[in-house]
Amino acid sequence: MNRKLGKLPPRHDPRTFRLESSLGTRLITPPPAINWATDVTWPVWCNDTLGCCTQVSVASAIRCWTLAAQAQTLLSDEQVIRNYSAASGYIPGNPATDQGGIELDVLNRWVREGYERPGQPGHDYLTAFGSVPPTDPSAVRRAIAALGGLYIGVQIPNYIMQASGDWICQPTANQTIAGGHAVWIHGYDPDWLYFNTWGECRRMSWGWFEQFCDEAYGLLSRQNWLTIRGMSPQNEDMDALIAEMRAA
């Protein structure tokens, strides 16, 4: 199967909320293991032909959240492509405009203008987001457990592009970086982080994550992550967390 990348280099903004402190004081103590998308078959969402991984990760987040909190919402290929066009300037039929996306720009637009989604009128809006240090395993686990996943960017070495299976450190393999890639992490245990990419469920080792992840964001979605009781699936009060994030 073809595999396309599409995450452009990170753009940092000092105004971005930092979730390490908020996550540590307001959210649950993370369990040893959790997975929000077990036994799920994932679409490719055109990431075999387009560099739309930043929007595939948006679609993956919406699916994970709604699987856990409400009823599953699954974006179509066409919606993912239209969202990619809206955020990153892709023009269908014009390969020169398939340039990928910047994660921070994708998330900011999700907050301000929203993205297409099925199942309801209007757009899907992200409530808030904040950066999570990839070098802080506790913050990473807490974000996945409490917020339903983690939106990350990684640098992909060539040996990952050339093989299937788990993403693990292979010091003797080709370490040349092929490009950046966005994925949605939907689970973890002591040995692995669980995610989907190119239509497959995959695992990456914690060591691989620490070596190759160059940005990570915890996302808060009032629209998708609240149950009918008005709380998250982990019984967290979203209003309290949002207020603390904005005060940080």
Side-chain angles (χ1 to χ4, degrees), residues 229-246:
R229 294 178 291 106
M231 305 286 281
S232 80
Q234 296 282 42
N235 293 315
E236 292 295 323
D237 184 337
M238 299 285 281
D239 289 331
L241 177 62
I242 292 167
E244 181 167 318
M245 284 175 58
R246 290 176 174 163

Side-chain angles (χ1 to χ4, degrees), residues 23 27-28 30-31 34 36 141-149 219 225 232-234 236 238 241:
L23 288 170
L27 295 184
I28 61 171
I34 198 165
W36 295 108
R141 289 192 294 268
R142 194 174 283 111
I144 296 168
L147 304 180
L219 314 184
W225 190 233
S232 80
Q234 296 282 42
E236 292 295 323
M238 299 285 281
L241 177 62

Side-chain angles (χ1 to χ4, degrees), residues 104-244:
L104 188 63
D105 291 350
V106 169
L107 296 178
N108 278 324
R109 190 189 188 282
W110 196 356
V111 171
R112 293 192 308 264
E113 301 176 58
Y115 291 122
E116 286 194 31
R117 61 165 286 170
Q120 65 179 51
H123 282 187
D124 186 284
Y125 289 89
L126 187 64
T127 305
F129 68 91
S131 62
V132 176
T135 54
D136 185 346
S138 179
V140 168
R141 289 192 294 268
R142 194 174 283 111
I144 296 168
L147 304 180
L150 195 67
Y151 186 98
I152 74 166
V154 296
Q155 294 297 310
I156 298 290
N158 270 330
Y159 74 85
I160 292 294
M161 299 297 290
Q162 298 165 359
S164 298
D166 297 332
W167 292 10
I168 60 174
C169 296
Q170 298 184 28
T172 61
N174 186 346
Q175 303 292 314
T176 304
I177 298 300
H181 193 44
V183 299
W184 175 254
I185 302 288
H186 55 72
Y188 66 83
D189 61 28
D191 299 314
W192 301 102
L193 292 142
Y194 295 85
F195 66 104
N196 62 287
T197 187
W198 302 312
E200 297 178 343
C201 294
R202 295 289 188 89
R203 305 185 301 183
M204 70 175 70
S205 70
W206 281 95
W208 194 96
F209 172 81
E210 291 169 7
Q211 181 173 349
F212 292 105
C213 180
D214 61 357
E215 54 186 325
Y217 301 93
L219 314 184
L220 286 77
S221 173
R222 191 189 306 275
Q223 193 168 348
N224 295 305
W225 190 233
L226 295 184
T227 66
I228 58 174
R229 294 178 291 106
M231 305 286 281
S232 80
Q234 296 282 42
N235 293 315
E236 292 295 323
D237 184 337
M238 299 285 281
D239 289 331
L241 177 62
I242 292 167
E244 181 167 318

Side-chain angles (χ1 to χ4, degrees), residues 14-23 129-133 245 248:
R15 296 170 295 181
T16 302
F17 299 131
R18 296 181 300 276
L19 283 183
E20 60 264 38
S21 58
S22 297
L23 288 170
F129 68 91
S131 62
V132 176
M245 284 175 58

